[in-house]
């Protein structure tokens, strides 16, 4: 809890931003001790009921939804109270009331809450990771890095708000002096996905809050218990009532209500293209009582490619392609789902990649020997299995792994012979299915790399400087990685986000991000 005396000390002296240390590896002695203990601790707390959090208070609801372990669907992680439109309205009204005072709290004061929350999350990093291992089927390292990224967002946006909170002197004109400053947009709705359940939720909520916008947060229905960690953090740091509200519930029932509300000024969404486009369309309407133009901060799906040119580091490329394609079961917006291999290197690289893939073990994420775990739920399992079937029709399956009997598993699948006309080259699968495309030369590889409606991440392995430079110009994606895998963007140093149908051009963890949550004002004074 931040004390009033600490708050009143005025200037917050912050060290320069640094990224939280990423996962030290499963063989690190501390990790070896801490992870099993944290998982056992979390297992002892499973099955609790989680209320909504509105206006600084827990609010129960008659209807609950079970969140389950995708590796053992009988294991209930938590029973989460479900919001309805009446409770959602209460949360929106609480956020609207909180706006009256929160908008004028000094940026430096708002930043303090984030720094304090980052400290709490840092102390709980193993515990929070363990919840993700069980609720989301994330491997130890994937879960740890998600929490570390959430901490980075808190630390970075706090510093960004202090930077942007200072009025900007615009110079004088004649005897008039001029300056600009930012004010918050108003009430923010945050709608989050499950695949980075702490990091993305934390990033969107922290940005809105520190910029002065009270938040109504709807977590994904597959990540409601991890989503509740934000309630813990923001409550413990003493965030004023109504500034952060947690309303879990089905997106199909609550989503439109939240987006359509005339009380809402900004919607921050990360998720699939179809839901994102629906939100953008609905937010463009102006219901009675709405007094501002709604802003939508929107990050959506992808169909990312890695291009393998000649003369790359063979072993590093195999390691990085496997990690990019199959890390967290390929359920990352940044994941590589198309591997474009140049004809000249095809016969050298592809068989070696398949051999390496055969060695990857599949099973519950809590066992660190498993490289892949289950996918998030039965619906995802069914959808991915349909793509696996399609892979056999559109191309030739080079490898399809066995899967455990219990849990929402799908086989790790590598298919070759895919060309841009195929659905597997165009549609987001969001699972461990890698489509290999054989390109005759670098020109064709670049054409194919850009041949989808998405533009999120991309990668090129090459030792040709001119090809790398060409990729920088021509491979039109939000995040391009040269001679490394295309996942794992870090806050500040690698601002993340795409364009085309991957998003509206915003960069989470970058210097422009907070500006999406604020309106600029200019003051001119005649002495
Ligand atoms: P999703 O199905 O679109 O759901 C995202 C959120 O939207 C969930 O909270 C969901 O609630 C809610 N929702 C569902 N229907 C809605 C509606 N009609 N109106 C408003 N909200 C609604 O996506 P997901 O399966 O959680 O996440 C995977 C997708 O996110 C992939 O496409 C991935 O590429 C993308 N993603 C993109 C980025 C990026 O930075 N570009 C990052 C991560 C993920 P329920 O859970 O209750 O349905």
């Amino acid at each position: 809890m931040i004390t009033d005396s600490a708050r009143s000390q005025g200037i917050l002296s912050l060290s320069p931003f640094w990224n939280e240390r990423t996962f030290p590896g499963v063989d690190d002695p501390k990790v070896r001790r801490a992870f099993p203990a944290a998982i056992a601790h979390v297992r002892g707390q499973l099955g609790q009921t989680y209320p909504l959090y509105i206006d600084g208070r827990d609010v129960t609801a008659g209807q609950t939804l079970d969140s389950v372990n995708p590796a053992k669907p009988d294991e209930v992680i938590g029973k989460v109270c479900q919001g309805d439109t009446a409770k959602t309205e209460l949360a929106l009204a609480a956020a609207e009331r909180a706006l009256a005072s929160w908008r004028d709290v000094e940026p430096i004061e708002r930043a303090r809450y984030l720094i304090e929350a980052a400290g709490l999350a840092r102390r709980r990093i193993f515990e929070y990771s363990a919840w993700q291992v069980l609720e989301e089927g994330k491997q130890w390292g994937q879960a740890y890095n998600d929490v570390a990224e959430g901490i980075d967002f808190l630390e970075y946006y706090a510093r960004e708000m202090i930077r942007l909170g200072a009025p900007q002197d615009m110079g004088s004109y004649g005897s008039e002096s001029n300056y600009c400053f930012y004010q918050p947009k108003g009430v923010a709705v945050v709608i989050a996905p499950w695949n980075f359940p702490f990091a993305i939720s934390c990033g969107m909520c922290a940005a809105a809050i520190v910029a002065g916008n009270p938040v109504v947060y709807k977590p994904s229905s597959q990540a409601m218990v991890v989503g509740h960690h934000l309630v813990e953090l923001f409550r413990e740091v003493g965030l004023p009532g109504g500034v952060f509200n947690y309303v879990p519930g089905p997106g199909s029932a609550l989503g439109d209500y939240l987006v359509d509300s005339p009380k809402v000024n900004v919607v921050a969404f990360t998720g699939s293209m179809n839901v994102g486009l629906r939100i953008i369309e609905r937010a463009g309407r102006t219901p009675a009582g709405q007094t501002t133009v709604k802003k939508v901060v929107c990050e959506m799906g992808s169909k990312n490619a890695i291009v393998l040119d000649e003369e790359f580091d063979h072993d590093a490329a195999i390691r990085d392609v496997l990690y990019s394609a199959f890390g967290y079961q390929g359920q990352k917006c940044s994941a590589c789902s198309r591997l474009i291999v140049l004809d000249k290197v095809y016969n050298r690289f592809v068989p070696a990649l398949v051999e390496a893939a055969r060695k990857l073990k599949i099973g519950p994420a809590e066992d660190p020997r498993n490289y892949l775990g289950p996918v998030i739920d039965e619906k995802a399992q069914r959808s991915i299995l349909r793509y696996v079937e399609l892979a056999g029709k559109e191309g030739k399956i080079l490898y399809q792994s066995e899967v455990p009997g219990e849990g929402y598993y799908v086989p790790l699948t590598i298919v070759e012979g895919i060309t841009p006309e195929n659905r597997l080259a165009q549609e987001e699968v969001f699972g461990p299915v890698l489509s290999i495309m054989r390109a005759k030369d670098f020109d064709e590889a670049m054409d194919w790399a850009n041949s989808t409606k998405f533009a999120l991440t991309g990668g090129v392995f090459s030792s040709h400087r001119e090809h790398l430079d060409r990729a920088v110009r021509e491979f039109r994606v939000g995040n391009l990685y040269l001679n490394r895998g295309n996942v794992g963007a870090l806050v500040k140093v690698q601002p993340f986000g795409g364009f085309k149908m991957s998003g509206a051009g915003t960069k989470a963890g970058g210097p422009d991000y907070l500006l999406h949550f604020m309106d600029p004002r200019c003051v001119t004074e005649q002495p």
Side-chain angles (χ1 to χ4, degrees), residues 191-195 200 218 221 249 251 255 270-272 300-301 333 428 430:
I191 301 178
W194 49 266
N195 66 333
I200 291 181
K218 196 209 88 59
S221 296
T270 305
S272 61
M300 306 188 289
C333 46
E428 186 177 41
F430 222 56

Side-chain angles (χ1 to χ4, degrees), residues 171-410:
S172 52
Y173 185 78
S175 57
E176 292 172 353
S177 61
N178 306 285
Y179 64 95
C180 284
F181 65 100
Y182 295 105
Q183 71 168 21
K185 280 192 172 290
V187 170
V189 161
V190 172
I191 301 178
W194 49 266
N195 66 333
F196 287 94
F198 182 75
I200 291 181
S201 293
C202 185
M204 291 193 290
C205 290
I209 288 171
V210 82
N213 309 272
V215 162
V216 176
Y217 162 55
K218 196 209 88 59
S220 158
S221 296
Q222 280 77 32
M224 298 177 292
V225 174
V226 168
H228 194 266
H229 292 153
L230 289 181
V231 177
E232 272 178 31
L233 294 179
F234 289 137
R235 178 166 25 206
E236 281 179 55
V237 300
L239 203 61
V243 175
F244 174 76
N245 304 277
Y246 163 83
V247 182
S252 53
L254 298 190
D256 287 353
Y257 191 84
L258 282 164
V259 171
D260 294 352
S261 170
K263 292 189 169 72
V264 170
N265 305 92
V266 53
V267 180
F269 168 79
T270 305
S272 61
M273 180 188 76
N274 288 343
V275 174
L277 293 179
R278 181 186 177 95
I279 288 174
I280 289 170
E281 189 190 329
R282 296 190 76 99
R285 302 175 192 169
T286 314
Q290 184 173 310
T291 55
T292 61
V293 177
K294 263 179 210 155
K295 165 94 182 180
V296 181
V297 182
C298 186
E299 326 250 353
M300 306 188 289
S302 65
K303 190 72 203 175
N304 311 305
I306 289 180
V307 173
L308 276 170
D309 190 15
E310 292 174 73
E311 304 299 327
F312 47 86
D313 177 339
H314 186 80
D315 293 343
I318 287 181
R319 182 198 61 211
D320 290 358
V321 167
L322 288 178
Y323 188 74
S324 301
F326 303 120
Y328 189 37
Q329 294 78 265
Q331 300 173 116
K332 294 182 191 175
C333 46
S334 51
C336 167
S337 66
R338 295 178 296 146
L339 179 65
I340 303 174
V341 186
L342 263 70
D343 193 51
K344 281 184 180 167
V345 292
Y346 198 91
N347 292 339
R348 180 157 60 94
F349 186 78
V350 172
L353 180 81
V354 171
E355 271 322 292
R358 285 182 197 282
K359 299 193 181 103
L360 304 180
K361 284 176 60 99
I362 305 189
E366 62 185 286
D367 179 345
R369 287 169 301 184
N370 293 324
Y371 192 92
L372 268 85
V375 297
I376 192 68
D377 62 11
E378 199 178 353
K379 187 167 159 232
Q381 183 187 38
R382 277 200 306 273
S383 159
I384 298 164
L385 287 175
R386 280 197 293 274
Y387 280 108
V388 172
E389 203 186 320
L390 183 65
K393 293 183 183 145
E394 291 192 329
K396 178 179 162 211
I397 292 184
L398 294 178
Y399 177 55
Q400 188 170 326
S401 70
E402 298 292 318
V403 292
E406 186 195 12
Y408 302 130
Y409 291 92
V410 298

Side-chain angles (χ1 to χ4, degrees), residues 40-258:
H41 169 73
V42 165
R43 255 220 168 88
Q45 299 177 60
L46 297 186
Q48 293 173 43
T49 299
Y50 292 84
L52 286 69
Y53 184 69
I54 297 174
D55 208 8
R57 281 186 293 274
D58 288 336
V59 174
T60 52
Q63 202 183 345
T64 62
L65 181 69
D66 288 353
S67 181
V68 303
N69 179 347
K72 291 183 192 177
D74 290 342
E75 186 169 63
V76 175
I77 305 299
K79 296 177 172 297
V80 184
C81 291
Q82 298 293 286
D84 54 14
T85 51
K87 299 254 181 345
T88 305
E89 193 54 40
L90 284 179
L92 289 167
E96 198 177 47
R97 282 195 302 279
L99 177 64
S101 49
W102 186 246
R103 68 190 317 158
D104 292 326
V105 171
E106 286 297 317
I108 207 155
E109 296 296 324
R110 301 197 298 251
R112 284 179 185 281
Y113 291 101
L114 268 56
I115 298 290
E116 183 99 346
L120 289 179
R122 191 174 289 117
R123 289 201 280 287
R124 294 176 193 161
I125 193 161
F126 285 105
E127 183 199 335
Y128 280 6
S129 304
W131 281 104
Q132 294 195 22
V133 171
L134 296 183
E135 191 182 39
E136 267 69 52
K138 280 207 166 196
Q139 291 71 26
W140 293 9
Q142 304 283 351
Y144 187 98
N145 288 343
D146 180 87
V147 183
E149 188 181 359
I151 295 169
D152 280 351
F153 280 132
L154 291 163
E155 295 276 359
Y156 179 65
Y157 291 148
R159 286 165 174 78
E160 278 296 285
M161 193 59 230
I162 292 169
R163 176 177 72 84
L164 293 166
Q168 235 184 309
D169 183 357
M170 306 309 289
S172 52
Y173 185 78
S175 57
E176 292 172 353
S177 61
N178 306 285
Y179 64 95
C180 284
F181 65 100
Y182 295 105
Q183 71 168 21
K185 280 192 172 290
V187 170
V189 161
V190 172
I191 301 178
W194 49 266
N195 66 333
F196 287 94
F198 182 75
I200 291 181
S201 293
C202 185
M204 291 193 290
C205 290
I209 288 171
V210 82
N213 309 272
V215 162
V216 176
Y217 162 55
K218 196 209 88 59
S220 158
S221 296
Q222 280 77 32
M224 298 177 292
V225 174
V226 168
H228 194 266
H229 292 153
L230 289 181
V231 177
E232 272 178 31
L233 294 179
F234 289 137
R235 178 166 25 206
E236 281 179 55
V237 300
L239 203 61
V243 175
F244 174 76
N245 304 277
Y246 163 83
V247 182
S252 53
L254 298 190
D256 287 353
Y257 191 84
L258 282 164

